[in-house]
Amino acid sequence: MHDNADVPVMIIDDEAHLRITAGQTLELAGYTPRPFESAEAALAELETDFAGVVVSDIRMPGMDGMALLREVRRRDPDLPVILITGHGDISTAVEAMREGAWDFLEKPFAGERLVEMVRRGSEKRRLSLENRALKAELEAQQSAPGPRLVGRTPVIQRLAAMVQRISRVEADVLLFGETGTGKDLVARAIHERSPRGGRPFVAINCGAVPESTIESELFGHEKGAFTGALERRIGKFEHAGGGTVFLDEIESMPLALQVKLLRVLQERTIERLGSNQPVPLDIRVIAATKIDLKAAAEAGEFREDLYYRLNVVTLPIPPLRERREDIPLLFQHFAAVAASRSSMEAPPLDAAGISALLAHDWPGNARELRNLAERYVLLGVTCDYRLDMLMEGVDNNGAELSLPEQVELFEKQLISQALARHHGHVTDVCEHLGLPRKTLYDKLKRHNLKAEHYRHSADP
Ligand SMILES: Nc1ncnc2c1ncn2[C@@H]1O[C@H](COP(=O)(O)OP(=O)(O)OP(=O)(O)O)[C@@H](O)[C@H]1O
Ligand SMILES: [Mg+2]
């Protein structure tokens, strides 16, 4: 529950008794009343991002409630204003609502009515301020160099600070985190922000390269080093000269190769296969693992000496479920990226959507969240932006819908957009989509779309 005690409520009335009774009622309900004798006095105290609501009488000497409402809305259209009208003064009440008042109270009114209105108003206010803060945060992140580490929970802020610090020193780094937590992103961020930033970033997935070729991939070989070595080949380590080598899934590196890697890390030289001429290397190594390397070393599945050498600077990257407060922010970030990529508007996220996001455990971490955000941008219209419905189409690893399912949903979305644009006029929609009438009708039926539902719709 949210504590009302920090929620201020401006009470503006020239009559002292109303200020006092309304103030007492709200104080009992846990709010912080701020009484003012005039609209002018209240406006002078109204700060940006005022975290509460405004309650004002309409009839006052000097600036009246309607003028106050207009001025408040000019400064901040999201700030709820509740106006108090005289008994039976319907026309003023109607005008107030038209001007954008949050609600109105007719004199005399019961305390509970006031409290209820203030409660709903301040809840709405809290949500819009939260959205505003998220947006500001996103804008601030946009100016940082290299890939952005989105998130403002203390764990992520600490991680971002560590990335910043590590990027300026030459140490090798071990990243440790579950699938999709951002190991790749962090490795690139460290590289980009380091003095090596303009130099190559060479990523090698140790689990994906066949054991028979990984050695020559990494170290290169001389002509004739083995059967089939027709030319000299420069390995990834040499290619990365001056830059950074990212050894992903280091746990799957063959044990025999681990010895060689240890030597590279210690001596900063390599020898191509088929040569014993050491070549000096200027690289930084960032390794990443999903598993507990220490346990693997103890079990004899990973070389202990290499583990200790890698473990000098270790950055653990926490799973998403340990930084839930970042989920909506990350979601909006991914949605904004996906939207700009396909020149679409990022659809808004409502309170129900946010709770659906928060309720999920995200075993696929940021990647799973990114997949969902992309689907939301592309396919959200097919389910009225019901995030929970979209989420049901995702399995726990964040796997995609099948291709036919995506094509189906995408087609539905395009047709629905065309219907909206042409206000349900089938002839125009056929022309727009280049479809014969019969085909369009078949598709409408299959997708359960009704042209007449779009008759009065606005353009999408
Ligand atoms: N904090 C973050 N801010 C912005 N984007 C993020 C963040 N964390 C992860 N991402 C994005 O989420 C996706 C998955 O991250 P990434 O590929 O770095 O994970 P990973 O740990 O390397 O996963 P895997 O273990 O499966 O290789 C990427 O698109 C990445 O850019
Ligand atoms: Mg990765």
Side-chain angles (χ1 to χ4, degrees):
M1 249 353 292
H2 298 281
D3 196 358
N4 294 340
D6 296 333
V7 178
V9 181
M10 285 193 167
I11 303 170
I12 308 158
D13 200 317
D14 54 316
E15 286 173 55
H17 83 268
L18 192 137
R19 289 198 302 274
I20 292 164
T21 43
Q24 283 169 345
T25 308
L26 288 170
E27 201 161 6
L28 277 174
Y31 294 92
T32 304
R34 283 167 59 177
F36 296 94
E37 273 185 49
S38 72
E40 290 88 341
L43 283 172
E45 296 277 311
L46 181 64
E47 67 264 18
T48 355
D49 291 343
F50 174 73
V53 298
V54 173
V55 178
S56 173
D57 194 8
I58 288 195
R59 237 169 281 284
M60 292 183 292
M63 190 178 200
D64 71 359
M66 293 301 295
L68 170 77
L69 169 65
R70 278 189 283 269
E71 177 57 19
V72 168
R73 288 187 53 77
R74 194 185 63 76
R75 293 193 194 179
D76 186 343
D78 297 327
L79 178 53
V81 177
I82 297 165
L83 288 177
I84 302 170
T85 65
H87 178 61
D89 188 359
I90 304 292
S91 63
T92 313
V94 169
E95 194 194 342
M97 295 309 280
R98 202 166 38 223
E99 291 279 349
W102 170 251
D103 216 334
F104 68 90
L105 273 169
E106 200 183 329
K107 272 188 225 176
F109 54 84
E112 305 91 80
R113 291 254 304 135
L114 172 66
V115 170
E116 177 55 18
M117 259 178 216
V118 165
R119 191 189 62 73
R120 284 192 300 109
S122 56
E123 178 58 16
K124 179 220 167 212
R125 180 61 173 166
R126 190 180 63 79
L127 280 175
S128 34
L129 287 183
E130 241 166 52
N131 269 324
R132 199 175 283 180
L134 285 177
K135 252 178 101 182
E137 175 72 17
L138 281 175
E139 276 159 18
Q141 295 261 8
Q142 240 117 45
S143 54
R148 269 170 297 132
L149 218 74
V150 176
R152 46 177 184 171
T153 47
V155 275
I156 280 297
Q157 292 294 318
R158 261 200 309 277
L159 181 64
M162 281 299 280
V163 166
Q164 202 61 36
R165 211 170 311 145
I166 288 172
S167 65
R168 279 184 252 116
V169 298
E170 277 288 287
D172 295 329
V173 184
L174 177 64
L175 306 176
F176 169 60
E178 289 176 16
T179 184
T181 44
K183 298 183 290 299
D184 209 281
L185 180 93
V186 166
R188 281 172 207 274
I190 293 173
H191 170 73
E192 292 289 335
R193 288 166 206 185
S194 77
R196 298 177 178 271
R199 313 287 307 167
F201 176 86
V202 176
I204 301 149
N205 187 332
C206 306
V209 185
E211 202 167 329
S212 55
T213 56
I214 188 165
E215 190 165 0
S216 120
E217 281 270 334
L218 293 181
F219 297 93
H221 58 248
E222 295 294 343
K223 185 173 173 178
F226 48 84
T227 330
L230 303 176
E231 296 290 339
R232 165 194 273 187
R233 179 180 182 184
I234 300 298
K236 300 252 185 184
F237 278 124
E238 273 186 83
H239 261 308
T244 303
V245 174
F246 178 46
L247 296 173
D248 206 355
E249 300 192 15
I250 186 85
E251 70 271 16
S252 20
M253 181 174 275
L255 281 166
L257 204 56
Q258 292 180 19
V259 193
K260 293 201 165 187
L261 176 61
L262 183 63
R263 244 185 90 193
V264 171
L265 294 179
Q266 281 167 345
E267 293 168 16
R268 299 286 147 176
T269 59
I270 57 152
E271 282 163 23
R272 298 182 195 127
L273 292 180
S275 153
N276 38 29
Q277 191 69 38
V279 181
L281 274 187
D282 171 24
I283 54 164
R284 163 193 274 192
V285 174
I286 303 179
T289 180
K290 289 193 189 63
I291 68 161
D292 181 350
L293 269 194
K294 184 166 194 274
E298 279 161 7
E301 288 152 9
F302 196 83
R303 284 193 63 107
E304 207 153 17
D305 46 9
L306 180 57
Y307 164 69
Y308 284 115
R309 178 62 184 71
L310 286 172
N311 192 36
V312 178
V313 180
T314 301
L315 274 190
I317 308 182
L320 215 47
R321 62 183 176 279
E322 285 174 19
R323 41 179 161 118
R324 286 188 188 273
E325 301 87 329
D326 281 339
I327 293 172
L329 177 70
L330 262 173
F331 182 86
Q332 291 199 326
H333 163 72
F334 291 136
V337 172
S340 74
R341 207 169 37 213
S342 46
S343 347
M344 295 168 83
E345 283 277 311
L349 189 59
D350 61 7
I354 292 178
S355 14
L357 289 177
L358 293 178
H360 187 57
D361 245 11
W362 304 105
N365 294 296
R367 179 174 303 104
E368 183 185 357
L369 186 63
R370 192 196 63 193
N371 288 343
L372 178 71
E374 288 174 354
R375 227 183 341 259
Y376 188 64
V377 169
L378 281 175
L379 309 172
V381 70
T382 60
C383 64
D384 287 330
Y385 295 103
R386 289 271 311 276
L387 202 52
D388 51 335
M389 285 174 69
L390 268 187
M391 288 172 81
E392 279 168 19
V394 193
D395 75 27
N396 279 341
N397 300 317
E400 295 287 330
L401 294 171
S402 72
L403 181 65
E405 281 168 330
Q406 292 192 56
V407 170
E408 210 34 26
L409 284 168
F410 195 57
E411 179 181 275
K412 181 171 179 181
Q413 184 199 8
L414 291 178
I415 296 175
S416 154
Q417 277 175 354
L419 282 167
R421 176 163 314 153
H422 298 289
H423 308 287
H425 292 301
V426 172
T427 315
D428 296 342
V429 173
C430 286
E431 190 171 315
H432 181 103
L433 295 173
L435 288 177
R437 220 179 169 79
K438 165 97 174 52
T439 314
L440 180 66
Y441 276 120
D442 288 346
K443 288 187 188 296
L444 290 180
K445 198 163 167 209
R446 197 174 72 237
H447 292 300
N448 200 15
L449 292 168
K450 297 221 176 352
E452 54 275 23
H453 288 170
Y454 294 81
R455 282 288 135 73
H456 307 291
S457 63
D459 286 352

Coordinates of all heavy atoms in Angstrom, one line a residue, residues 269-334:
T269 N 51.4 -13.3 -24.9 CA 51.9 -13.7 -26.2 C 51.2 -14.9 -26.7 O 50.6 -15.6 -25.9 CB 53.4 -14.1 -26.2 OG1 53.6 -15.2 -25.3 CG2 54.3 -12.9 -25.7
I270 N 51.1 -15.1 -28.0 CA 50.6 -16.4 -28.5 C 51.6 -17.0 -29.5 O 52.5 -16.3 -30.0 CB 49.2 -16.2 -29.2 CG1 49.4 -15.2 -30.4 CG2 48.1 -15.8 -28.3 CD1 48.4 -15.5 -31.5
E271 N 51.4 -18.3 -29.7 CA 52.1 -18.9 -30.7 C 51.1 -19.5 -31.7 O 50.2 -20.2 -31.3 CB 53.0 -20.0 -30.1 CG 54.2 -19.5 -29.5 CD 54.9 -20.5 -28.6 OE1 54.7 -21.7 -28.7 OE2 55.6 -20.0 -27.7
R272 N 51.2 -19.2 -33.0 CA 50.3 -19.8 -34.0 C 50.6 -21.3 -34.0 O 51.8 -21.7 -33.8 CB 50.6 -19.2 -35.3 CG 50.3 -17.8 -35.4 CD 50.5 -17.2 -36.8 NE 50.5 -15.8 -36.8 CZ 51.5 -15.1 -37.3 NH1 52.5 -15.7 -37.9 NH2 51.5 -13.7 -37.2
L273 N 49.6 -22.1 -34.3 CA 49.8 -23.6 -34.5 C 50.9 -23.8 -35.6 O 50.9 -23.1 -36.6 CB 48.6 -24.3 -34.9 CG 47.4 -24.3 -33.9 CD1 46.2 -25.1 -34.5 CD2 47.9 -25.0 -32.6
G274 N 51.8 -24.7 -35.3 CA 52.8 -25.0 -36.3 C 54.0 -24.0 -36.2 O 54.8 -23.9 -37.1
S275 N 54.0 -23.2 -35.1 CA 55.2 -22.3 -35.0 C 55.5 -22.2 -33.5 O 54.6 -22.3 -32.7 CB 54.7 -20.9 -35.5 OG 55.5 -19.9 -34.9
N276 N 56.8 -21.9 -33.2 CA 57.0 -21.7 -31.8 C 57.6 -20.3 -31.6 O 58.3 -20.0 -30.7 CB 57.9 -22.8 -31.1 CG 58.9 -23.3 -32.1 OD1 59.4 -22.5 -33.0 ND2 59.3 -24.5 -31.9
Q277 N 57.2 -19.5 -32.5 CA 57.6 -18.0 -32.5 C 56.6 -17.3 -31.7 O 55.4 -17.1 -32.2 CB 57.7 -17.5 -33.9 CG 58.3 -16.2 -34.1 CD 59.8 -16.2 -33.8 OE1 60.5 -17.2 -34.2 NE2 60.3 -15.2 -33.1
P278 N 56.8 -16.8 -30.5 CA 55.8 -16.1 -29.8 C 55.5 -14.7 -30.4 O 56.4 -14.0 -30.8 CB 56.4 -15.9 -28.3 CG 57.8 -16.3 -28.4 CD 58.1 -16.9 -29.7
V279 N 54.2 -14.4 -30.5 CA 53.8 -13.1 -31.1 C 53.2 -12.3 -29.9 O 52.3 -12.8 -29.2 CB 52.7 -13.4 -32.1 CG1 52.2 -12.0 -32.7 CG2 53.1 -14.3 -33.2
P280 N 53.8 -11.1 -29.7 CA 53.2 -10.3 -28.6 C 51.8 -9.8 -28.9 O 51.4 -9.6 -30.0 CB 54.2 -9.1 -28.5 CG 54.9 -9.1 -29.8 CD 54.9 -10.5 -30.4
L281 N 51.0 -9.8 -27.8 CA 49.6 -9.4 -27.9 C 49.3 -8.2 -27.1 O 49.7 -8.1 -26.0 CB 48.7 -10.6 -27.4 CG 48.4 -11.7 -28.3 CD1 47.4 -12.6 -27.5 CD2 47.7 -11.3 -29.5
D282 N 48.5 -7.3 -27.7 CA 48.0 -6.2 -26.9 C 46.5 -6.3 -26.8 O 45.7 -5.8 -27.7 CB 48.4 -4.9 -27.6 CG 47.7 -3.7 -26.9 OD1 47.3 -3.8 -25.7 OD2 47.6 -2.7 -27.6
I283 N 46.0 -7.1 -25.9 CA 44.5 -7.3 -25.8 C 44.1 -7.3 -24.4 O 44.9 -7.5 -23.4 CB 44.1 -8.7 -26.4 CG1 44.9 -9.8 -25.7 CG2 44.2 -8.7 -27.9 CD1 44.2 -11.2 -25.9
R284 N 42.8 -7.0 -24.2 CA 42.2 -7.2 -22.9 C 41.2 -8.4 -23.1 O 40.5 -8.5 -24.1 CB 41.4 -6.0 -22.4 CG 40.4 -6.4 -21.3 CD 39.4 -5.4 -21.0 NE 40.0 -4.5 -20.0 CZ 39.3 -3.6 -19.4 NH1 38.0 -3.5 -19.6 NH2 39.8 -2.8 -18.5
V285 N 41.1 -9.3 -22.1 CA 40.2 -10.4 -22.2 C 39.1 -10.2 -21.2 O 39.3 -9.9 -20.0 CB 41.0 -11.7 -21.9 CG1 40.0 -12.9 -21.8 CG2 42.1 -12.0 -22.9
I286 N 37.9 -10.4 -21.8 CA 36.7 -10.4 -20.9 C 36.1 -11.8 -21.1 O 35.8 -12.2 -22.3 CB 35.7 -9.3 -21.3 CG1 36.3 -7.9 -21.2 CG2 34.4 -9.4 -20.4 CD1 35.4 -6.8 -21.6
A287 N 35.9 -12.6 -20.1 CA 35.3 -13.9 -20.2 C 33.9 -13.8 -19.5 O 33.6 -13.0 -18.7 CB 36.2 -14.9 -19.5
A288 N 33.0 -14.7 -20.0 CA 31.7 -14.8 -19.4 C 31.3 -16.2 -19.2 O 31.6 -17.1 -20.0 CB 30.7 -14.1 -20.4
T289 N 30.5 -16.4 -18.1 CA 30.1 -17.8 -17.8 C 28.7 -17.7 -17.2 O 28.3 -16.7 -16.5 CB 31.0 -18.5 -16.9 OG1 30.5 -19.8 -16.6 CG2 31.2 -17.7 -15.5
K290 N 27.9 -18.8 -17.4 CA 26.6 -18.9 -16.8 C 26.7 -19.8 -15.6 O 25.7 -19.9 -14.9 CB 25.6 -19.6 -17.8 CG 25.2 -18.8 -19.0 CD 24.0 -19.5 -19.6 CE 23.6 -19.0 -21.0 NZ 24.6 -19.1 -22.1
I291 N 27.8 -20.5 -15.4 CA 27.8 -21.5 -14.3 C 28.8 -21.0 -13.2 O 29.5 -20.0 -13.4 CB 28.3 -22.8 -14.8 CG1 29.8 -22.8 -15.2 CG2 27.4 -23.3 -15.9 CD1 30.4 -24.1 -15.3
D292 N 28.7 -21.7 -12.1 CA 29.6 -21.4 -11.0 C 30.9 -22.0 -11.3 O 31.1 -23.2 -11.1 CB 28.9 -22.0 -9.7 CG 29.8 -21.7 -8.5 OD1 30.9 -21.2 -8.6 OD2 29.3 -22.0 -7.3
L293 N 31.9 -21.2 -11.7 CA 33.2 -21.7 -12.2 C 34.0 -22.3 -11.1 O 34.7 -23.2 -11.3 CB 34.0 -20.6 -12.8 CG 33.9 -20.3 -14.3 CD1 35.0 -19.4 -14.8 CD2 33.9 -21.6 -15.1
K294 N 33.8 -21.8 -9.9 CA 34.5 -22.3 -8.7 C 34.1 -23.7 -8.5 O 35.0 -24.6 -8.3 CB 34.2 -21.4 -7.5 CG 35.0 -21.8 -6.3 CD 34.9 -20.7 -5.2 CE 35.9 -20.8 -4.1 NZ 35.4 -21.8 -3.1
A295 N 32.8 -24.0 -8.5 CA 32.3 -25.3 -8.3 C 32.8 -26.2 -9.4 O 33.2 -27.4 -9.2 CB 30.8 -25.3 -8.2
A296 N 32.8 -25.7 -10.6 CA 33.3 -26.5 -11.8 C 34.8 -26.8 -11.6 O 35.2 -27.9 -11.9 CB 33.1 -25.7 -13.1
A297 N 35.5 -25.9 -11.1 CA 37.0 -26.1 -10.8 C 37.1 -27.2 -9.8 O 38.0 -28.1 -9.9 CB 37.6 -24.8 -10.4
E298 N 36.3 -27.1 -8.7 CA 36.4 -28.1 -7.7 C 36.1 -29.5 -8.2 O 36.6 -30.5 -7.7 CB 35.6 -27.7 -6.5 CG 36.3 -26.6 -5.6 CD 35.3 -25.9 -4.7 OE1 34.1 -26.2 -4.6 OE2 35.8 -24.9 -4.1
A299 N 35.1 -29.5 -9.1 CA 34.7 -30.8 -9.6 C 35.7 -31.3 -10.7 O 35.4 -32.3 -11.4 CB 33.3 -30.7 -10.2
G300 N 36.7 -30.5 -11.0 CA 37.7 -30.9 -12.0 C 37.2 -30.7 -13.5 O 37.8 -31.2 -14.4
E301 N 36.1 -29.9 -13.6 CA 35.6 -29.7 -15.0 C 36.2 -28.4 -15.6 O 36.0 -28.1 -16.7 CB 34.1 -29.6 -15.0 CG 33.4 -30.9 -14.7 CD 32.1 -30.8 -14.0 OE1 31.6 -29.6 -13.9 OE2 31.5 -31.8 -13.6
F302 N 36.9 -27.7 -14.7 CA 37.5 -26.4 -15.2 C 38.8 -26.3 -14.5 O 38.9 -26.6 -13.3 CB 36.6 -25.2 -14.9 CG 36.9 -24.0 -15.7 CD1 36.5 -23.8 -17.0 CD2 37.7 -23.0 -15.1 CE1 36.8 -22.7 -17.7 CE2 38.0 -21.9 -15.8 CZ 37.6 -21.7 -17.1
R303 N 39.8 -25.8 -15.2 CA 41.1 -25.7 -14.6 C 41.1 -24.7 -13.5 O 40.8 -23.5 -13.7 CB 42.2 -25.3 -15.6 CG 42.6 -26.5 -16.5 CD 43.9 -26.1 -17.3 NE 45.0 -25.9 -16.3 CZ 46.0 -26.8 -16.2 NH1 46.0 -27.9 -16.9 NH2 46.9 -26.5 -15.4
E304 N 41.6 -25.2 -12.3 CA 41.6 -24.3 -11.1 C 42.5 -23.1 -11.3 O 42.1 -22.0 -11.0 CB 42.0 -25.1 -9.9 CG 41.4 -24.6 -8.6 CD 41.3 -25.7 -7.6 OE1 42.0 -26.7 -7.7 OE2 40.6 -25.4 -6.6
D305 N 43.7 -23.3 -11.9 CA 44.6 -22.2 -12.1 C 44.0 -21.1 -13.0 O 44.1 -19.9 -12.7 CB 46.0 -22.6 -12.6 CG 45.9 -23.6 -13.7 OD1 44.8 -23.8 -14.3 OD2 47.0 -24.2 -14.1
L306 N 43.3 -21.5 -14.0 CA 42.7 -20.6 -14.9 C 41.5 -19.8 -14.2 O 41.3 -18.6 -14.3 CB 42.1 -21.3 -16.2 CG 41.4 -20.4 -17.2 CD1 42.3 -19.2 -17.7 CD2 40.9 -21.2 -18.4
Y307 N 40.8 -20.6 -13.4 CA 39.7 -20.0 -12.6 C 40.3 -18.9 -11.8 O 39.7 -17.7 -11.7 CB 39.0 -21.0 -11.8 CG 38.1 -20.4 -10.7 CD1 37.0 -19.6 -11.1 CD2 38.5 -20.4 -9.4 CE1 36.3 -19.0 -10.1 CE2 37.8 -19.8 -8.4 CZ 36.6 -19.1 -8.8 OH 35.9 -18.4 -7.8
Y308 N 41.4 -19.1 -11.1 CA 41.9 -18.1 -10.2 C 42.4 -16.9 -11.0 O 42.3 -15.8 -10.5 CB 43.0 -18.7 -9.2 CG 42.3 -19.5 -8.1 CD1 42.5 -20.9 -8.0 CD2 41.5 -18.9 -7.2 CE1 41.9 -21.6 -7.0 CE2 40.9 -19.6 -6.2 CZ 41.1 -20.9 -6.1 OH 40.5 -21.6 -5.1
R309 N 43.0 -17.2 -12.1 CA 43.5 -16.1 -12.9 C 42.4 -15.2 -13.4 O 42.5 -14.0 -13.5 CB 44.3 -16.7 -14.1 CG 44.9 -15.7 -15.1 CD 45.9 -14.8 -14.4 NE 46.4 -13.7 -15.3 CZ 45.7 -12.7 -15.8 NH1 44.4 -12.6 -15.4 NH2 46.2 -11.9 -16.6
L310 N 41.2 -15.9 -13.8 CA 40.1 -15.1 -14.3 C 39.3 -14.4 -13.2 O 38.7 -13.4 -13.4 CB 39.1 -16.1 -15.0 CG 39.5 -16.6 -16.4 CD1 38.5 -17.6 -16.9 CD2 39.6 -15.4 -17.4
N311 N 39.4 -14.9 -12.0 CA 38.6 -14.5 -11.0 C 39.1 -13.2 -10.3 O 38.5 -12.7 -9.3 CB 38.4 -15.6 -9.9 CG 37.3 -15.2 -8.9 OD1 36.3 -14.7 -9.3 ND2 37.5 -15.6 -7.6
V312 N 40.1 -12.5 -10.8 CA 40.6 -11.3 -10.2 C 39.6 -10.2 -10.1 O 39.3 -9.7 -9.1 CB 41.9 -10.9 -11.0 CG1 42.4 -9.6 -10.3 CG2 43.0 -12.0 -10.9
V313 N 39.0 -10.0 -11.3 CA 37.9 -9.0 -11.3 C 36.6 -9.7 -11.8 O 36.5 -10.1 -13.0 CB 38.2 -7.8 -12.2 CG1 37.0 -6.8 -12.2 CG2 39.4 -7.1 -11.8
T314 N 35.7 -10.0 -10.9 CA 34.5 -10.7 -11.3 C 33.3 -9.8 -11.1 O 33.1 -9.1 -10.1 CB 34.2 -12.0 -10.4 OG1 35.3 -12.8 -10.6 CG2 33.0 -12.7 -10.9
L315 N 32.5 -9.7 -12.2 CA 31.3 -8.9 -12.1 C 30.0 -9.8 -12.2 O 29.7 -10.4 -13.2 CB 31.2 -7.9 -13.3 CG 31.9 -6.6 -13.3 CD1 31.4 -5.8 -14.5 CD2 31.5 -5.9 -12.0
P316 N 29.3 -10.0 -11.0 CA 28.1 -10.7 -11.1 C 27.0 -9.9 -11.7 O 26.9 -8.7 -11.3 CB 27.8 -11.1 -9.7 CG 28.8 -10.3 -8.8 CD 29.6 -9.5 -9.7
I317 N 26.2 -10.4 -12.6 CA 25.1 -9.6 -13.2 C 23.8 -10.3 -12.7 O 23.5 -11.4 -13.0 CB 25.2 -9.7 -14.7 CG1 26.5 -9.2 -15.2 CG2 24.1 -8.8 -15.3 CD1 26.7 -9.1 -16.7
P318 N 23.1 -9.5 -11.9 CA 21.9 -10.2 -11.2 C 20.8 -10.5 -12.2 O 20.6 -9.7 -13.2 CB 21.5 -9.1 -10.2 CG 22.0 -7.8 -10.7 CD 23.2 -8.1 -11.5
P319 N 20.0 -11.6 -12.0 CA 18.9 -11.9 -12.8 C 17.8 -10.8 -12.6 O 17.8 -10.1 -11.6 CB 18.4 -13.2 -12.3 CG 19.0 -13.3 -10.9 CD 20.2 -12.6 -10.9
L320 N 16.9 -10.7 -13.5 CA 15.9 -9.7 -13.5 C 15.0 -9.8 -12.3 O 14.5 -8.8 -11.7 CB 15.0 -9.9 -14.8 CG 14.4 -8.6 -15.4 CD1 15.5 -7.5 -15.6 CD2 13.8 -9.0 -16.8
R321 N 14.7 -11.0 -11.8 CA 13.8 -11.2 -10.7 C 14.4 -10.6 -9.4 O 13.7 -10.4 -8.4 CB 13.4 -12.6 -10.5 CG 14.6 -13.5 -10.2 CD 14.2 -15.0 -10.0 NE 15.4 -15.8 -9.8 CZ 16.3 -16.1 -10.8 NH1 16.0 -15.9 -12.0 NH2 17.4 -16.8 -10.5
E322 N 15.7 -10.3 -9.4 CA 16.3 -9.7 -8.2 C 16.4 -8.1 -8.4 O 17.0 -7.5 -7.6 CB 17.7 -10.2 -8.0 CG 17.7 -11.6 -7.4 CD 19.0 -12.3 -7.3 OE1 20.1 -11.6 -7.3 OE2 19.1 -13.5 -7.2
R323 N 15.8 -7.6 -9.5 CA 15.8 -6.2 -9.7 C 14.5 -5.8 -10.4 O 14.4 -5.2 -11.4 CB 17.0 -5.7 -10.4 CG 17.4 -6.6 -11.6 CD 18.6 -6.0 -12.4 NE 19.2 -7.0 -13.2 CZ 19.3 -7.0 -14.5 NH1 18.8 -6.0 -15.2 NH2 19.9 -8.0 -15.2
R324 N 13.4 -6.3 -9.7 CA 12.1 -6.2 -10.4 C 11.7 -4.7 -10.7 O 11.0 -4.5 -11.6 CB 11.0 -6.8 -9.5 CG 11.0 -8.3 -9.5 CD 9.8 -8.9 -8.7 NE 10.0 -10.3 -8.6 CZ 9.6 -11.2 -9.5 NH1 9.0 -10.7 -10.6 NH2 9.8 -12.4 -9.3
E325 N 12.1 -3.8 -9.9 CA 11.7 -2.4 -10.1 C 12.2 -1.9 -11.4 O 11.7 -0.9 -11.9 CB 12.3 -1.5 -9.0 CG 11.8 -1.9 -7.6 CD 12.7 -2.9 -6.9 OE1 13.3 -3.7 -7.6 OE2 12.9 -2.9 -5.7
D326 N 13.2 -2.6 -12.0 CA 13.7 -2.1 -13.3 C 12.9 -2.7 -14.5 O 13.1 -2.2 -15.6 CB 15.1 -2.6 -13.5 CG 16.1 -1.7 -12.8 OD1 15.7 -0.5 -12.5 OD2 17.2 -2.1 -12.5
I327 N 12.0 -3.6 -14.2 CA 11.3 -4.3 -15.3 C 10.5 -3.3 -16.2 O 10.6 -3.3 -17.4 CB 10.5 -5.5 -14.8 CG1 11.4 -6.6 -14.2 CG2 9.6 -6.1 -15.9 CD1 10.7 -7.7 -13.5
P328 N 9.6 -2.5 -15.6 CA 8.9 -1.6 -16.5 C 9.8 -0.6 -17.3 O 9.5 -0.4 -18.4 CB 8.0 -0.8 -15.5 CG 7.9 -1.6 -14.2 CD 9.2 -2.3 -14.2
L329 N 10.8 -0.1 -16.6 CA 11.7 0.8 -17.3 C 12.4 0.1 -18.5 O 12.5 0.6 -19.6 CB 12.8 1.3 -16.3 CG 13.9 2.2 -16.8 CD1 13.4 3.5 -17.2 CD2 15.0 2.3 -15.8
L330 N 12.9 -1.1 -18.2 CA 13.6 -1.9 -19.3 C 12.6 -2.2 -20.4 O 12.9 -2.1 -21.6 CB 14.1 -3.2 -18.8 CG 15.6 -3.3 -18.4 CD1 15.9 -4.6 -17.7 CD2 16.4 -3.1 -19.6
F331 N 11.3 -2.5 -20.0 CA 10.3 -2.8 -21.0 C 10.1 -1.6 -21.9 O 10.1 -1.7 -23.1 CB 9.0 -3.2 -20.3 CG 7.9 -3.6 -21.3 CD1 7.8 -4.9 -21.7 CD2 7.0 -2.7 -21.7 CE1 6.8 -5.3 -22.6 CE2 6.0 -3.0 -22.6 CZ 5.9 -4.3 -23.1
Q332 N 10.0 -0.5 -21.3 CA 9.7 0.7 -22.1 C 10.9 1.0 -23.0 O 10.7 1.5 -24.1 CB 9.4 1.9 -21.2 CG 8.1 1.8 -20.5 CD 7.6 3.1 -20.0 OE1 8.3 3.9 -19.5 NE2 6.3 3.2 -20.0
H333 N 12.1 0.8 -22.5 CA 13.3 1.0 -23.3 C 13.3 0.1 -24.5 O 13.4 0.5 -25.6 CB 14.5 0.7 -22.4 CG 15.8 0.5 -23.2 ND1 16.4 1.5 -23.8 CD2 16.5 -0.7 -23.5 CE1 17.5 1.0 -24.4 NE2 17.6 -0.3 -24.2
F334 N 13.0 -1.2 -24.3 CA 13.0 -2.2 -25.4 C 11.8 -1.8 -26.4 O 12.0 -1.9 -27.6 CB 12.8 -3.6 -24.9 CG 14.0 -4.1 -24.2 CD1 13.9 -4.9 -23.0 CD2 15.3 -3.9 -24.7 CE1 15.0 -5.3 -22.3 CE2 16.4 -4.4 -24.0 CZ 16.2 -5.1 -22.8

